[in-house]
Amino acid sequence: MSRWIPLESNPELFNNWAHKVGLVESDSEFVDIYGLDDDLLKLVPEPVKAVILLFPIRGKLEELRKAEEAEIKEKGQVPVDPTVFWIKQTISNACGTIGLLHALTNAQVVFEPESPITRFIYACQDKTPLERAEFLESTHLFADIHAALAASGQTAVPTDLDTDLHFTCFVQAPEASAREAEIPTDERRLIELDGGRAGPVDRGASTDLLKDVAKYVKEEIMPKAPSLQFSMIALAGGFQDDVNEDNLV
């Protein structure tokens, strides 16, 4: 398995990464989420299009996540919109890049033509999540950008690349049945996109992406985490087309 340098959870670094891979600079930006209380959530620009969470993945929390994974495999879950773009993580320490890709590819944002991310989406649109991972391993579209920015963070590059901190991403998507039947709907589901899991995970109905993620993190992750090494960053601002594709997305 390939191993990359871990990315720092830093909105300035995330924005540099996004612009280098092709996000139009005037469209949206990554910003800090300073806390989970409503007063602090109000400081985040709207609309919020994705949330990236960095959290400690060990101890009780990791055990519970593995148990949840086994339960989903055995019993299934609420079907997830089949057009959600998900990538399996096969590169060690690439969860930052995977989280950024999940945020950008599932948000209403604008990319530069022929940019790395545009080429990646085009090349991967008919691939399976594992084939997308294999393509990510074999191409230099993102590896060089990841390496350069990982080395430019505010903290020194660690000599020990083993880390128990992990990035995951949250987005909204319409119900799978509405998407498949092409029925217009304003109803949304909260979807967690973690390349370390077996697939996207449905986290329930969602009316406000930022508040719903904050509630989930506060109630389901923080009480079970072995430390308070948390960071949340939102992809926010720009234009949000609420009626795109007849409210299907």
Side-chain angles (χ1 to χ4, degrees):
M1 177 186 287
S2 301
R3 173 172 288 198
W4 290 3
I5 300 170
L7 275 187
E8 186 177 288
S9 184
N10 177 328
E12 181 179 356
L13 186 150
F14 280 17
N15 284 318
N16 287 339
W17 186 97
H19 298 151
K20 286 182 181 296
V21 303
L23 176 68
V24 172
E25 292 195 29
S26 60
D27 184 89
S28 302
E29 64 177 343
F30 288 99
V31 298
D32 271 320
I33 300 171
Y34 293 107
L36 303 180
D37 294 334
D38 285 347
D39 288 346
L40 294 174
L41 296 179
K42 289 177 182 177
L43 299 176
V44 179
E46 294 182 352
V48 173
K49 302 175 180 180
V51 175
I52 295 177
L53 168 71
L54 179 70
F55 66 101
I57 186 167
R58 64 180 188 275
K60 181 180 178 182
L61 182 58
E62 176 63 0
E63 292 173 4
L64 290 171
R65 287 169 65 84
K66 289 180 178 179
E68 180 185 50
E69 196 80 358
E71 183 176 2
I72 291 174
K73 183 177 181 180
E74 179 183 356
K75 300 179 180 179
Q77 65 169 342
V78 175
V80 173
D81 173 8
T83 69
V84 167
F85 193 92
W86 182 73
I87 309 161
K88 178 65 178 175
Q89 181 185 340
T90 57
I91 304 171
S92 180
N93 294 337
C95 57
T97 284
I98 298 292
L100 287 163
L101 285 170
H102 282 152
L104 292 173
T105 57
N106 290 288
Q108 295 295 317
V109 294
V110 180
F111 300 125
E112 298 284 358
E114 299 303 317
S115 61
I117 195 166
T118 300
R119 285 182 280 156
F120 180 76
I121 293 170
Y122 179 78
C124 291
Q125 58 186 354
D126 295 323
K127 294 183 183 296
T128 67
L130 187 56
E131 288 171 340
R132 292 168 184 168
E134 292 169 349
F135 181 73
L136 186 63
E137 283 201 61
S138 65
T139 181
H140 291 287
L141 284 176
F142 303 105
D144 295 342
I145 295 173
H146 179 107
L149 290 178
S152 70
Q154 295 177 354
T155 57
V157 175
T159 54
D160 182 359
L161 295 183
D162 289 329
T163 177
D164 58 6
L165 297 178
H166 184 69
F167 286 102
T168 189
C169 177
F170 296 88
V171 299
Q172 283 184 326
E175 293 184 356
S177 58
R179 172 72 75 183
E180 291 167 345
E182 299 185 353
I183 299 172
T185 179
D186 290 320
E187 296 183 0
R188 294 289 182 271
R189 307 291 298 182
L190 179 64
I191 307 298
E192 181 179 359
L193 302 174
D194 182 342
R197 305 288 295 254
V201 179
D202 182 279
R203 295 298 180 197
S206 177
T207 57
D208 185 306
L209 174 58
L210 182 58
K211 288 184 178 179
D212 292 336
V213 173
K215 183 176 185 291
Y216 174 75
V217 171
K218 186 185 295 186
E219 296 180 358
E220 301 295 334
I221 296 184
M222 293 187 73
K224 303 162 186 172
S227 75
L228 295 179
Q229 292 177 286
F230 286 88
S231 174
M232 289 173 62
I233 293 177
L235 175 63
F239 176 70
Q240 177 72 53
D241 187 354
D242 292 329
V243 293
N244 189 39
E245 293 187 20
D246 294 323
N247 287 1
L248 275 176
V249 298

